[in-house]
Amino acid sequence: VDTSSCKSNIDVVRLALQELQWKEIPGGKFGTPSDLVWNSINHSENPNLTTGFVNKFPGIGTLLHKVNLFRSLDIMRQLYPDEYDFYPMSFYLPHQMADFNAHYRTLVKNRKSYKNQLMFIAKPDEGTQGDGIYLLQGPDEFRSANNRNYVVQEYLNNPLLLEGFKFDLRLYVVVRSIEPLSIYIYQEGMARFCTVPYQTANTKNIRDSYMHLTNYS
């Protein structure tokens, strides 16, 4: 395994290699035969690879940012609306602010008696650990910290709960190849829970991160 591009991943990769009793090529000399080349960031770090598998597919980094992921999903929804109806109405801001405003006006018009229950969630494009995520009731409450791009989605006010708490479930998979498609699913997953029992989002609890955000960070 060529670990020359591991960077911050090096400690955990080395632990795995020791447990598997695999041989490490730390120098990563060009042309050194290897079965796997580990890239810390993306495939473009090693444009001259001649042997071995890589741990990330070319271009996969594009899907790791929320805005790019949403734009890809949005294109697929336009092509295959029935198959791509599994995520809420979304907008990437500030670019689609006009669309967001128009959608909001339509919701208010169709749900006048429920105006106070309209709720959206804003997520910064490259944010991690829940940083910068907040709920808002309409376009006029949108705030972009440090001119960051955001994905804003309709907030699902009736989520699946476990003993009264919001949670999310993470499953870990390895896509070994695209064609033929080969996927391995790890038998263990991880559930993350809020620590405050869930109530329908309203003006009183809209800022309660412990009720609405499952990210324990």
Side-chain angles (χ1 to χ4, degrees):
V1 178
D2 182 343
T3 60
S4 59
S5 297
C6 275
K7 297 182 180 178
S8 60
N9 300 160
I10 188 64
D11 291 336
V12 68
V13 172
R14 277 183 175 155
L15 285 173
L17 296 182
Q18 291 170 8
E19 184 174 330
L20 293 167
Q21 296 184 343
W22 289 7
K23 181 179 180 181
E24 178 187 357
I25 305 175
K29 295 180 180 178
F30 177 72
T32 303
S34 58
D35 298 298
L36 173 65
V37 178
W38 192 276
N39 295 295
S40 175
I41 301 177
N42 55 55
H43 180 267
S44 62
E45 291 178 330
N46 285 312
N48 299 315
L49 288 178
T50 56
T51 64
F53 288 100
V54 292
N55 62 308
K56 295 177 181 178
F57 288 105
I60 193 65
T62 302
L63 299 181
L64 301 182
H65 297 308
K66 297 180 182 70
V67 168
N68 288 335
L69 174 60
F70 159 67
R71 294 176 72 175
S72 298
L73 287 172
D74 197 39
I75 291 173
M76 296 304 290
R77 175 179 272 182
Q78 294 176 38
L79 296 173
Y80 308 102
D82 294 335
E83 288 81 1
Y84 282 80
D85 63 348
F86 55 83
Y87 64 97
M89 192 68 181
S90 307
F91 304 90
Y92 59 98
L93 303 185
H95 182 75
Q96 290 187 317
M97 180 57 78
D99 295 332
F100 182 30
N101 274 294
H103 179 69
Y104 176 75
R105 289 193 296 268
T106 299
L107 291 178
V108 170
K109 180 179 179 181
N110 294 338
R111 301 170 58 188
K112 290 182 180 180
S113 60
Y114 302 99
K115 181 178 179 180
N116 292 332
Q117 296 183 22
L118 290 177
M119 202 69 64
F120 305 87
I121 186 167
K123 306 174 184 179
D125 182 25
E126 299 181 22
T128 60
Q129 301 180 332
D131 181 48
I133 297 178
Y134 64 95
L135 300 186
L136 61 156
Q137 291 186 280
D140 58 331
E141 296 182 7
F142 173 71
R143 298 292 182 271
S144 176
N146 300 320
N147 295 319
R148 300 166 80 179
N149 293 318
Y150 279 72
V151 169
V152 172
Q153 298 178 300
E154 289 186 13
Y155 186 65
L156 302 182
N157 247 332
N158 187 29
L160 179 65
L161 303 177
L162 189 57
E163 297 186 357
F165 294 88
K166 278 189 68 175
F167 69 98
D168 67 38
L169 180 64
R170 288 194 169 189
L171 300 177
Y172 295 90
V173 302
V174 171
V175 181
R176 186 179 182 274
S177 67
I178 298 295
E179 188 172 339
L181 185 61
S182 177
I183 301 175
Y184 293 84
I185 302 178
Y186 192 54
Q187 292 184 347
E188 296 181 8
M190 181 175 69
R192 305 185 302 175
F193 291 83
C194 287
T195 54
V196 174
Y198 180 76
Q199 297 176 2
T200 299
N202 54 54
T203 54
K204 294 182 179 180
N205 65 34
I206 190 174
R207 304 302 176 199
D208 192 343
S209 299
Y210 298 101
M211 177 186 294
H212 297 292
L213 303 186
T214 57
N215 194 309
Y216 49 68
S217 298

